């Protein structure tokens, strides 16, 4: 095996590695979304991999949702029990944060049906 | 030249590996619906051509049961019985009374339908939380005796022999409801379905592609992956833990699973109990009961009833105990011990 062959092989591997990384990253970007609904009606859908803050103001009350670094949490809420804030962060498909008093559901949805995805979460 | 071909082959293989996902298309018709009822959030998913109609029927049934069983709404059957000390109950409510007394007896009072006055003293129903005085707890103890419930089966009436007694079927109502939803699905010819009633999961059949349902169990540890993942069909998976509903006072955390013997939140080695069972109602009641029992008694209880259900326990030390009926179907990153029959 001469030097040129080795160089070629390394270049190929590098290209392959970069392609693999790109396709993986875009999969995440395309795959997971944050679906916010209030009383069964969709309020909005946002990419999980774009940081933002969402102010939800409805006649039931207010919640502030934060999407940051691929995970979602409820930062503030004016509900009585604050369970939605205490639930912390969620980031995986089918995970959700629920604010019962405000009938708010923040759910991670995925376009891609990954082989090993979870169908439901018992808690 | 041969080497170049080899390199190309590697490149092609790597690229294929990177894009072999995301092409699955669901051929089966499926319907889903979300419902806020019973003070919780529910999602129902059914597959097959009758799924739309079945879901509508299920939603009606859920709302019907919610109306009868909600201790929170003042005109429900159960609220009227608690207020008046006597009342006429529908078949659903009488069935829940009988079942809860059965589970209470079997678990030696670890599950107790008469615990409601104590839950009120702790403020859990109204969310006006407070640690009750010892005298209040003592007084509640005197209202626990299930022999003081008078049931007239012919008339369908129930009365309490002691004033102040109150019943709550919250510990099995969701489990009963999920059984009823699955029954409706079966009658509608649905063969594959998964429902989640506020964290209570129940499945019908397998997934439409013939594989098992993958049910994750929430970890009590924050920022954690799941406690584990269970692969099942035709089963209810119901978890109890102190991490879902709780409050803090003077730096102490009090959770909502009260031990009827101490009057305080159950405080033992266990942080999470999952029951896997054909019967959602039984799973619901037992998850609370085994949480109250603690590790040793819970293991013993399973060994005496291993034909009825399976169990996954997690302790404060992050050790997991799984009964041998499901140990092959359960995966976890925690240290796992198999409980033998």
């Amino acid at each position: 095996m001469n030097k040129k062959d080795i160089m070629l092989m390394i270049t190929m591997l590098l290209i392959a590695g970069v392609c693999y990384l790109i396709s993986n990253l875009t999969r995440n970007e395309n795959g997971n979304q944050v679906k916010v609904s209030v009383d069964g009606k969709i309020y909005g859908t946002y990419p999980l991999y774009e940081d933002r803050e969402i102010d939800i103001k409805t006649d039931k009350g207010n919640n502030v949702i934060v999407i940051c670094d691929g995970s979602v949490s409820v930062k503030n809420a004016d509900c009585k029990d604050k369970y939605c804030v205490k639930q912390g962060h969620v980031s995986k498909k089918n995970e959700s944060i629920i604010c019962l008093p405000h009938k708010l559901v923040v759910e991670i949805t995925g376009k891609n049906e990954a082989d090993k995805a979870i169908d439901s979460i018992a808690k | 030249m041969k080497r170049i071909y080899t390199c190309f082959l590697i490149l092609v293989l790597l690229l294929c590996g990177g894009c072999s996902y995301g092409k699955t298309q669901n051929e089966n018709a499926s319907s889903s619906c979300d419902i806020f009822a019973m003070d919780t959030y529910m999602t129902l998913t059914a597959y097959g051509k009758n799924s739309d109609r079945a879901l509508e029927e299920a939603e009606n049934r859920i709302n019907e049961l919610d109306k009868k069983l909600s201790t929170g709404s003042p005109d429900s059957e159960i609220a009227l019985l608690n207020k008046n000390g006597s009342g006429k109950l529908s078949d659903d409510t009488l069935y829940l009374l009988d079942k809860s007394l059965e589970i209470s007896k079997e678990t030696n009072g670890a599950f107790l339908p008469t615990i409601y006055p104590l839950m009120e003293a702790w403020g859990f129903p109204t969310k006006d939380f407070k640690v009750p005085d010892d005298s209040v707890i003592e007084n509640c103890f005197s209202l626990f005796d299930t022999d003081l419930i008078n049931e007239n089966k012919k008339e369908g009436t129930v009365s309490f022999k002691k004033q102040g007694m109150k019943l709550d079927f919250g510990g099995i109502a969701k489990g009963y409801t999920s059984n009823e939803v699955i029954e409706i699905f079966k009658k509608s010819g649905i063969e594959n379905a998964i429902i989640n009633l506020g964290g209570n999961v129940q499945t019908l059949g397998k997934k439409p592609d013939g594989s098992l349902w993958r049910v994750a169990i929430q970890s009590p540890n924050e920022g954690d992956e799941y406690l584990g993942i269970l692969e099942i069909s035709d089963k209810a998976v119901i978890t109890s833990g102190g991490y879902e509903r709780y409050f803090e006072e003077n730096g102490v955390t009090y959770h909502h699973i009260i031990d009827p013997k101490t009057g305080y939140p159950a405080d033992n080695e266990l942080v999470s109990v999952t029951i896997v069972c054909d019967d959602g109602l039984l799973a619901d009641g037992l998850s609370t009961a085994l949480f109250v029992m603690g590790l040793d008694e819970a293991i013993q209880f399973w060994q005496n009833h291993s034909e009825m259900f399976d169990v996954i326990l997690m302790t404060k030390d992050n050790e997991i105990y799984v009964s041998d009926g499901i140990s092959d179907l359960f995966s976890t990153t925690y240290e796992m011990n198999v409980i033998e029959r």
Side-chain angles (χ1 to χ4, degrees), chain B residues 11-276:
Chain B
L11 180 63
V12 168
L13 279 174
L14 279 171
L15 281 176
C16 285
C19 58
S20 59
Y21 54 81
K23 295 277 190 242
T24 46
Q25 190 90 53
N26 202 341
E27 302 279 338
N28 292 280
S30 81
S31 313
S32 289
C33 74
D34 305 339
I35 307 161
F36 284 94
M38 299 187 169
D39 200 22
T40 196
Y41 173 66
M42 309 177 170
T43 57
L44 319 179
T45 305
Y47 297 83
K49 60 177 186 324
N50 293 329
S51 53
D52 274 334
R53 215 193 56 217
L55 281 180
E56 200 184 315
E57 218 178 300
E59 188 172 351
N60 292 338
R61 180 74 174 128
I62 289 169
N63 288 325
E64 181 195 358
L65 287 172
D66 193 9
K67 266 195 190 134
K68 288 180 181 174
L69 302 171
S70 166
T71 46
S73 56
D75 54 353
S76 74
E77 280 177 28
I78 192 79
L80 287 173
L81 170 67
N82 287 342
K83 189 177 150 213
N84 303 328
S86 65
K88 192 166 163 52
L89 302 182
S90 64
D91 288 347
D92 282 319
T93 316
L94 285 170
Y95 178 78
L96 283 172
L97 175 61
D98 288 345
K99 281 285 167 188
S100 60
L101 292 175
E102 230 173 77
I103 297 173
S104 183
K105 202 173 163 196
E106 199 64 35
T107 61
N108 199 16
F111 175 89
L112 193 66
T114 49
I115 202 171
Y116 197 63
L118 184 58
M119 297 304 286
E120 285 187 315
W122 280 91
F124 282 106
T126 53
K127 297 188 178 94
D128 288 320
F129 305 115
K130 57 184 172 291
V131 180
D133 291 336
D134 287 348
S135 61
V136 175
I137 294 178
E138 279 297 323
N139 183 47
C140 290
F141 285 159
S142 72
L143 305 171
F144 283 179
D145 187 356
T146 50
D147 289 338
L148 299 178
I149 302 168
N150 228 346
E151 189 184 346
N152 185 331
K153 288 206 172 163
K154 248 189 202 160
E155 305 281 324
T157 56
V158 169
S159 61
F160 303 135
K161 287 183 194 158
K162 189 156 184 179
Q163 208 181 356
M165 284 179 75
K166 287 179 180 181
L167 283 174
D168 178 22
F169 302 130
I172 51 170
K174 277 190 282 167
Y176 176 57
T177 306
S178 62
N179 279 351
E180 289 291 290
V181 170
I182 295 292
E183 272 313 306
I184 287 170
F185 286 173
K186 278 185 189 163
K187 278 183 196 149
S188 308
I190 305 285
E191 287 171 5
N192 324 92
I194 185 162
I195 62 178
N196 188 324
L197 312 190
N200 287 12
V201 177
Q202 195 157 345
T203 60
L204 171 63
K206 293 179 181 174
K207 284 206 240 185
D209 66 7
S211 64
L212 295 169
W213 299 102
R214 290 170 58 82
V215 178
I217 296 162
Q218 180 165 309
S219 171
N221 301 324
E222 214 176 304
D224 198 1
E225 279 283 321
Y226 308 114
L227 186 156
I229 294 167
L230 184 67
E231 297 193 299
I232 42 134
S233 61
D234 284 312
K235 290 269 189 280
V237 182
I238 296 183
T239 299
S240 277
Y243 51 85
E244 274 278 287
R245 294 187 180 190
Y246 61 90
F247 72 97
E248 280 174 27
E249 194 178 293
N250 299 327
V252 184
T253 303
Y254 300 93
H255 65 73
H256 76 293
I257 305 177
I258 304 291
D259 183 342
K261 295 203 167 63
T262 62
Y264 271 75
D267 186 14
N268 54 51
E269 310 85 351
L270 295 177
V271 288
S272 168
V273 172
T274 300
I275 307 289
V276 183

